[in-house]
Structures are given as C-alpha cells and as structure tokens.
Amino acid sequence: MAEPVFFHPTEAMTVASVAAFLKAEFAGEGGDRLIRGVAALADAGPGDLAFLDNAKYADQLAATRAAACLVQPRNAGLVPQGTAAIVVGHPHAAFVSVSRRLFPQALHPQSLFGATGISPGANIHPSARLETGVIVDPGVVVGPGAEIGSGTLLAANSTIGPGVRIGRDCAIGPGASLTHALLGNRVILHAGVRVGQDGFGFEPGRAKHAKIPQIGRVIIQDDVEIGANSTIDRGHIRDTVIGEGTKIDNLVQVAHNVVVGRHCLIVSQVGLSGSATLGDFVMLGGQVGVNNHVTVGHGAQIAATSIVKDDVPDGARWGGRPAKPVRDWFREIAAVERLARAGKAAGPDSA
C-alpha cells in the first residue's frame, strides 16, 4: 500500500521562479530545478525547499539534500554544494509565503466529500438562503432563515442553526455547530468548534440553582480563525464578540459576554471567564486563565499557565499565578530558589 500524501502543490515552481516571487537572488546552479514541496532541513529531498533562520541548525544545513534553502545573507556561505541558496532578510517569513502559494488548500478546511455544490445528502430548510458558490457536504443541516454567503464551505455534518448569518468565503469544518451567531467574511472554524451555545449562568440558591436565560448572540468579525473543539458561548444580555483578525487555537473556552479585540492570538487551553475583555493585539500563552470581568489592555502579553485576576495595563507583560508584571514574577521565582538552596545547605536538621 502506497503511503498517502494529502497535500500537493497547486502550481509548478522552479528555484528561479521562487527567487523571483520573493524578489530575491539565488546563488548556485539548478535554477530550473522544480520545487515539488517544502520540508525541514533534515527531511528535505532534491525537490524540496527548506529554510535556515537559527544557527544551531547549521549542521542540518550542511547535510541537507534540499533543492534550495532560504537563508540570510550572513549564512549564504553555509549552504552546501548542490543546494541553491536563496538569500532573503527573513527566511521563515519567506518560507511561509512560498508555502501559502504552493499549498493554498492547506489554509482552511476542505470538503471531505470532494463536493463542488450542494450535496443531496444535506438537509437545508426551504427558508434558508444560500448564495451561489456555496459548497455543502453530506450530513450538513441548515436551519430556517439561515443565510450563507458565496464561496463558503460547510463541511460534513456541520450544523447551522435558525437565523445564523455566515459571510462570504468562510470555511466551517466538519462537525462544527453554530447557533445564535453572526459571522463576517473569511472566517475559519475548524472541526468540532461550538459557537452560540448558552453560557454557564445560574443564580445560586439553597434549594436549587436557577438557570439564567442566555439571550445574547455571538459576533465573529472578518478573518477570524478558531481551532478545533474550541467553544464560544453566546452572551447573557449582551453579545460575545470576537474581533477581526483574531486567531484562536484548539480547545479554548470563551464564556458568555466576553469581548475579544482585533488581531489577538490565543493559544490552546486558554479559558476566558464571563464578561472578560481583551484589547487589540493581546497575546495569551497556553492554559492562561482570565477571571470574570477582568480587562487585559491593548497589546498586553500573558505568559503560559498564568492566572489573571486583576486588570492588565496596555502593553504590559505579565506572568505567574496570580499574574503580575514579569519582572516581579521573576524576582519571586529567584527568591524562592534562593530560599530552597539555603534550606538545602542548612541540612535536614535545620528545622
């Protein structure tokens, strides 16, 4: 059985055409050699493009079999004979640009059925409105009054609730579900994303806990991407909002009434509690927890595994449990390490 390859380049590029695309120069022979793929230095073969942007991988560069390697000017002399050196200022950024051109199908979910129109296995309510060019896989359910923009993909077994609006050129991954939501253009939801379910709201009582109606919506603006199995709860009495250009990793929980600004980066297993607010260009590392009603200012960065219980100023870098300015956090860690060393030096009988 042949090993399957899931992504193939959509066009033929040569070493010379890659250099021209990047407005870069290349040194060495083989300008007409075809680039059939991209790969890491250690794995690259004669048809692959690789890159070097960290000198600690110089040994891998010396042994690479790549057709061409993207390098900074200072590293051009390290490229071995038989591999063309394409000289650029930022090798990884250039590598991403070429990869996006060669493999555009890897940028968003694709039809699992190879569909190009509406599958007869889909269930679309008669009152739903789909513009021309929408792709609908088998098992998709589209509820009454929903509207789907042209160029959008609804992958297998995704569910679109009543009245949901999805803009143009979006990709809704397999098994995703959307209710009570309005999506802009070019939004990507990966497999298993849940959008619009009610938030966790209860009024505690001695006899029982009364469920609070969640009557808000989810607003997802243009160019947002949300990773697999992440959840975005609808608002309680105001909308949950994800700002334009924000990228959310897998397994992230966004609670009711949360407002996320534009172009934020939110890494896996982050939890945003109810009514938390993130400014624009905020970056949250993996497993960060943000308490309810906390505001994280524009451009702030929070280190992985931190717990944020207080408002964070614009542009701040915080970390720790509870989170605090990084300098204070590092001082605390250093103080604890000094105490541990002192205790160890004093011996087991020091107590």
Side-chain angles (χ1 to χ4, degrees):
M1 180 183 295
E3 181 178 353
V5 176
F6 295 104
F7 295 101
H8 300 275
T10 57
E11 64 175 288
M13 296 188 76
T14 63
V15 171
S17 65
V18 167
F21 170 66
L22 297 171
K23 297 180 172 59
E25 298 293 334
F26 78 91
E29 300 178 353
D32 58 350
R33 188 182 302 177
L34 281 176
I35 299 295
R36 298 183 176 87
V38 294
L41 282 168
D43 304 323
D48 292 324
L49 175 71
F51 74 98
L52 174 79
D53 66 353
N54 190 323
K56 77 176 186 178
Y57 296 109
D59 290 347
Q60 293 185 15
L61 174 60
T64 192
R65 298 170 56 243
C69 184
L70 300 161
V71 292
Q72 294 174 307
R74 66 174 180 267
N75 293 322
L78 302 178
V79 178
Q81 187 175 4
T83 297
I86 300 178
V87 180
V88 293
H90 302 282
H92 186 258
F95 185 79
V96 170
S97 295
V98 176
S99 299
R100 288 173 60 91
R101 177 163 174 172
L102 288 174
F103 302 101
Q105 71 274 28
L107 295 174
H108 51 75
Q110 300 290 308
S111 167
L112 299 186
F113 198 65
T116 55
I118 298 175
S119 167
N123 292 287
I124 301 175
H125 193 276
S127 65
R129 178 173 173 265
L130 278 64
E131 292 185 340
T132 57
V134 174
I135 298 172
V136 183
D137 271 0
V140 169
V141 174
V142 179
E147 297 184 4
I148 317 294
S150 63
T152 289
L153 163 71
L154 305 180
N157 298 319
S158 55
T159 303
I160 313 301
V164 167
R165 304 289 192 269
I166 299 176
R168 293 172 176 164
D169 299 314
C170 296
I172 310 303
S177 63
L178 290 82
T179 65
H180 312 90
L182 309 178
L183 277 62
N185 299 320
R186 299 173 301 280
V187 172
I188 297 173
L189 305 184
H190 288 276
V193 167
R194 306 295 180 214
V195 171
Q197 61 284 336
D198 61 344
F200 187 73
F202 296 88
E203 180 64 26
R206 292 186 176 181
K208 63 179 182 178
H209 306 309
K211 187 176 179 67
I212 300 171
Q214 309 286 303
I215 60 173
R217 307 172 298 180
V218 175
I219 309 296
I220 299 178
Q221 297 178 358
D222 294 349
D223 299 303
V224 168
E225 182 164 350
I226 300 175
N229 293 327
S230 289
T231 58
I232 317 291
D233 295 345
R234 70 177 182 266
H236 164 32
I237 52 175
R238 72 176 195 185
D239 295 333
T240 300
V241 179
I242 311 296
E244 99 177 75
T246 284
K247 313 301 182 186
I248 297 177
D249 199 357
N250 304 335
L251 298 169
V252 169
Q253 158 67 6
V254 178
H256 59 201
N257 302 345
V258 166
V259 175
V260 176
R262 299 173 304 125
H263 306 292
C264 294
L265 294 176
I266 301 176
V267 184
S268 62
Q269 298 184 4
V270 163
L272 303 179
S273 300
S275 300
T277 300
L278 306 186
D280 298 338
F281 292 94
V282 168
M283 299 175 65
L284 303 181
Q287 296 187 334
V288 164
V290 179
N291 210 355
N292 55 310
H293 300 281
V294 163
T295 296
V296 179
H298 299 300
Q301 299 179 22
I302 311 297
T305 75
S306 300
I307 302 297
V308 183
K309 70 177 186 62
D310 300 308
D311 290 349
V312 179
D314 292 352
R317 297 176 65 237
W318 280 26
R321 304 166 73 92
K324 54 186 66 66
V326 165
R327 287 185 179 180
D328 296 341
W329 179 36
F330 287 171
R331 289 191 189 102
E332 288 183 3
I333 293 172
V336 170
E337 289 177 347
R338 285 195 296 270
L339 287 172
R341 287 195 297 269
K344 185 176 180 180
D349 298 328
S350 61

mmCIF file of all heavy atoms in Angstrom, residues 7 125 152 159 164 192 195 234 326:
data_model
loop_
_atom_site.group_PDB
_atom_site.id
_atom_site.type_symbol
_atom_site.label_atom_id
_atom_site.label_comp_id
_atom_site.label_asym_id
_atom_site.label_seq_id
_atom_site.Cartn_x
_atom_site.Cartn_y
_atom_site.Cartn_z
ATOM 1 N N PHE A 7 -1.402 16.637 0.666
ATOM 2 C CA PHE A 7 -1.332 17.963 0.057
ATOM 3 C C PHE A 7 -0.335 17.940 -1.098
ATOM 4 O O PHE A 7 0.791 17.458 -0.946
ATOM 5 C CB PHE A 7 -0.907 19.017 1.089
ATOM 6 C CG PHE A 7 -1.911 19.217 2.181
ATOM 7 C CD1 PHE A 7 -1.718 18.641 3.421
ATOM 8 C CD2 PHE A 7 -3.053 19.976 1.960
ATOM 9 C CE1 PHE A 7 -2.644 18.813 4.436
ATOM 10 C CE2 PHE A 7 -3.980 20.154 2.958
ATOM 11 C CZ PHE A 7 -3.788 19.574 4.201
ATOM 12 N N HIS A 125 -33.125 23.791 5.123
ATOM 13 C CA HIS A 125 -34.503 24.239 5.258
ATOM 14 C C HIS A 125 -34.898 25.104 4.061
ATOM 15 O O HIS A 125 -34.086 25.902 3.570
ATOM 16 C CB HIS A 125 -34.665 25.032 6.565
ATOM 17 C CG HIS A 125 -36.090 25.257 6.943
ATOM 18 N ND1 HIS A 125 -36.848 26.297 6.445
ATOM 19 C CD2 HIS A 125 -36.910 24.551 7.763
ATOM 20 C CE1 HIS A 125 -38.072 26.236 6.960
ATOM 21 N NE2 HIS A 125 -38.132 25.182 7.766
ATOM 22 N N THR A 152 -18.500 30.032 0.523
ATOM 23 C CA THR A 152 -18.362 29.412 1.841
ATOM 24 C C THR A 152 -18.507 27.901 1.737
ATOM 25 O O THR A 152 -19.308 27.388 0.954
ATOM 26 C CB THR A 152 -19.401 29.987 2.814
ATOM 27 O OG1 THR A 152 -19.032 31.332 3.128
ATOM 28 C CG2 THR A 152 -19.503 29.181 4.102
ATOM 29 N N THR A 159 -23.514 21.917 11.519
ATOM 30 C CA THR A 159 -24.894 22.289 11.815
ATOM 31 C C THR A 159 -24.997 23.794 11.931
ATOM 32 O O THR A 159 -24.281 24.409 12.728
ATOM 33 C CB THR A 159 -25.360 21.640 13.135
ATOM 34 O OG1 THR A 159 -25.202 20.226 13.044
ATOM 35 C CG2 THR A 159 -26.816 21.956 13.408
ATOM 36 N N VAL A 164 -28.930 31.985 11.642
ATOM 37 C CA VAL A 164 -27.492 32.261 11.657
ATOM 38 C C VAL A 164 -27.082 32.931 10.347
ATOM 39 O O VAL A 164 -27.592 32.589 9.275
ATOM 40 C CB VAL A 164 -26.696 30.956 11.872
ATOM 41 C CG1 VAL A 164 -25.208 31.149 11.572
ATOM 42 C CG2 VAL A 164 -26.880 30.463 13.311
ATOM 43 N N GLY A 192 -15.284 20.524 14.840
ATOM 44 C CA GLY A 192 -15.807 20.406 16.196
ATOM 45 C C GLY A 192 -15.971 21.700 16.959
ATOM 46 O O GLY A 192 -16.281 21.665 18.154
ATOM 47 N N VAL A 195 -20.179 27.136 18.540
ATOM 48 C CA VAL A 195 -20.424 28.569 18.638
ATOM 49 C C VAL A 195 -21.901 28.792 18.961
ATOM 50 O O VAL A 195 -22.771 28.240 18.287
ATOM 51 C CB VAL A 195 -20.068 29.290 17.324
ATOM 52 C CG1 VAL A 195 -20.528 30.747 17.351
ATOM 53 C CG2 VAL A 195 -18.576 29.212 17.057
ATOM 54 N N ARG A 234 -22.664 32.039 23.698
ATOM 55 C CA ARG A 234 -23.401 33.267 23.408
ATOM 56 C C ARG A 234 -23.549 34.099 24.687
ATOM 57 O O ARG A 234 -23.382 33.607 25.807
ATOM 58 C CB ARG A 234 -24.769 32.958 22.808
ATOM 59 C CG ARG A 234 -25.786 32.338 23.740
ATOM 60 C CD ARG A 234 -27.120 32.173 23.013
ATOM 61 N NE ARG A 234 -28.164 31.616 23.859
ATOM 62 C CZ ARG A 234 -28.471 30.331 23.951
ATOM 63 N NH1 ARG A 234 -27.781 29.440 23.243
ATOM 64 N NH2 ARG A 234 -29.446 29.923 24.744
ATOM 65 N N VAL A 326 6.048 40.839 34.700
ATOM 66 C CA VAL A 326 7.039 39.770 34.545
ATOM 67 C C VAL A 326 8.251 39.973 35.451
ATOM 68 O O VAL A 326 8.767 39.014 36.040
ATOM 69 C CB VAL A 326 7.462 39.670 33.058
ATOM 70 C CG1 VAL A 326 8.728 38.850 32.912
ATOM 71 C CG2 VAL A 326 6.354 39.047 32.230
#
